[in-house]
Amino acid sequence: MWMESLQDLFFFIDEEGVFYALDLGGTNFRVLRVELGGKDRGVVHQEFAEASIPPALMSGSSDALFDYIAEKLASFVNDEERIYEQPAGKERELGFTFSFPVMQNSINSGTLIRWTKGFSIDDAVGQDVVVEITKALKRKGVDMRVAALINDTIGTLAGGRHSDPDVSVAVILGTGSNAAYVERAQAIPKWHGPLPKSGEMAINMEWGNFRSSHLPLTEYDSAMDAESLNPGEQIFEKLISGMYLGEILRRVLLRLAEEACFFGDEIPAKLRSPFILRTPEMSAMHHDTSPDLKVVGDKLKSVLEISHTSVKKRRVVVELINIISSRGARLAAAGILGVLKKLGKDVSKEKTIIAMDGGLYEHYTEYRKCLESTVFDLLGDATGTSVVFEHYVDGSGIGAALIAASHSLYLDDKF
Ligand code: ADP
Ligand code: MG
């Protein structure tokens, strides 16, 4: 698989103090304030605020997006000023979790390679996103320094490893998907820089952009890809992640309506509307345990304006959902097994924790169960028990604050 950037992040300090994180993933963004308690105490307190990105800003200008984010950060900081006072002479420090492909130039600079997950802001491509957010913070009067730029996988890996050194892989299944893992620096032929003290490095895989002739693409996938904002890119992500599963289902249902009059003689108009059927709706239908599949009936009505569906039809819908969701979960599991194999963890008896995060993993229980059982099936009995999945809630944001702390300008103050 393709490596995007390599970083020596496992330089953890026993820093005390308050650090901030800004987590921009796709659908929502979060602002966090994380209080670190120093040696052995880790995170002692955290607070956060969440806001969604208005769709118009996803394809507007760079300034408009970053101004909006900076504004939310400004109001978060203003609110908390009442409870927390920043020590005089010390600028607030921020870890910026920016989960899009970036060419990392240093711990706090990186240029955006391309957008994914429904974003398309042309004037931001090729720009240093830290410079852009820093300018916006200035415009909004927020006194804050970006100490670290990372993405959600690196944040989850760092946050997970901070609490348990057995964490060596992180996987995000949210709007999009990506993974990162810890590798021995000597095993990375691409790395020509000085070897890190720890002997280990984090590799951000950008696995969402994986593609291979072995991936089972259907005509629904190909059509969705061709009509997407990023045709030909992020193919693996388009098969497995939350932004796309509901849309694949919509396309299959539309075909059934067109070719088999599945919903009657007329094709329901809403079925023609791209992205109208979202993955949370799909998972709610999948999790419907009522004997007459009431939730399925209700969702078809409320989302697609298809009323009076028979239980038999609803069962077909659930079966399709199961096929689409299991395919995604199994492919994601195959990706995880690939990483475990690369690390030799598929045959090792040592405990390996896979730090998981993202709304799809968190909320779509059937998907999660299928993913985990597939990994254990693939591993077989030999190591099945030494691999553990753990959900690291807010791992990406907390990890950003930890990495910001370990790259703080004020580290030397204590020594
Ligand atoms: P991001 O990836 O943008 O950082 P999240 O990790 O919060 O954000 O993931 C949000 C995504 O998770 C949504 O786009 C959606 O696809 C998926 N999701 C959220 N809730 C559910 C749910 N109840 N069932 C299935 N998928 C969900
Ligand atoms: Mg996220």
Side-chain angles (χ1 to χ4, degrees), residues 107-128:
I107 186 62
N108 64 351
S109 68
T111 47
L112 175 62
I113 296 171
R114 57 175 190 276
W115 289 104
T116 58
K117 300 180 278 196
F119 280 68
S120 160
I121 303 171
D122 291 345
D123 66 343
V125 176
Q127 300 299 315
D128 184 335

Side-chain angles (χ1 to χ4, degrees), residues 384-411:
T385 49
S386 59
V387 171
V388 181
F389 288 90
E390 266 177 38
H391 179 203
Y392 278 86
V393 183
D394 259 340
S396 50
I398 291 168
L402 287 169
I403 294 172
S406 65
H407 291 85
S408 166
L409 272 188
Y410 310 107
L411 271 185

Side-chain angles (χ1 to χ4, degrees), residues 25-28 174-176 242-243 279-280 283 358-360 363-364:
T27 312
N28 296 313
T175 306
M243 176 166 166
T279 305
S283 84
L360 181 70
H363 301 293
Y364 199 156

Side-chain angles (χ1 to χ4, degrees), residues 100-174:
F100 298 90
V102 156
M103 182 58 73
Q104 189 107 21
N105 305 315
S106 72
I107 186 62
N108 64 351
S109 68
T111 47
L112 175 62
I113 296 171
R114 57 175 190 276
W115 289 104
T116 58
K117 300 180 278 196
F119 280 68
S120 160
I121 303 171
D122 291 345
D123 66 343
V125 176
Q127 300 299 315
D128 184 335
V129 292
V130 174
V131 170
E132 295 306 300
I133 187 69
T134 302
K135 284 196 292 194
L137 290 171
K138 207 162 234 153
R139 288 196 289 269
K140 301 292 167 191
V142 187
D143 187 21
M144 209 178 259
R145 166 184 174 266
V146 181
L149 171 69
I150 59 163
N151 74 11
D152 47 8
T153 59
I154 296 291
T156 304
L157 190 60
R161 205 169 170 85
H162 182 75
S163 53
D164 193 328
D166 289 333
V167 171
S168 46
V169 183
V171 176
I172 302 292
L173 288 158

Side-chain angles (χ1 to χ4, degrees), residues 33-72:
R33 190 173 76 94
V34 178
E35 196 178 329
L36 302 180
K39 194 167 168 47
D40 299 331
R41 293 184 66 216
V43 176
V44 288
H45 189 69
Q46 69 191 74
E47 261 160 81
F48 74 91
E50 190 171 71
S52 60
I53 303 280
L57 291 185
M58 293 184 180
S59 52
S61 71
S62 175
D63 281 359
L65 175 71
F66 287 111
D67 276 350
Y68 177 79
I69 294 169
E71 228 161 70
K72 297 284 173 190

Side-chain angles (χ1 to χ4, degrees), residues 21 29 82 111 164 170 173 176 218 221 233-234 241 259 324 328 332:
F29 76 93
R82 279 177 245 135
T111 47
D164 193 328
L173 288 158
T218 65
D221 301 310
E233 289 168 2
Q234 303 294 110
S241 78
E259 295 193 358
I324 294 165

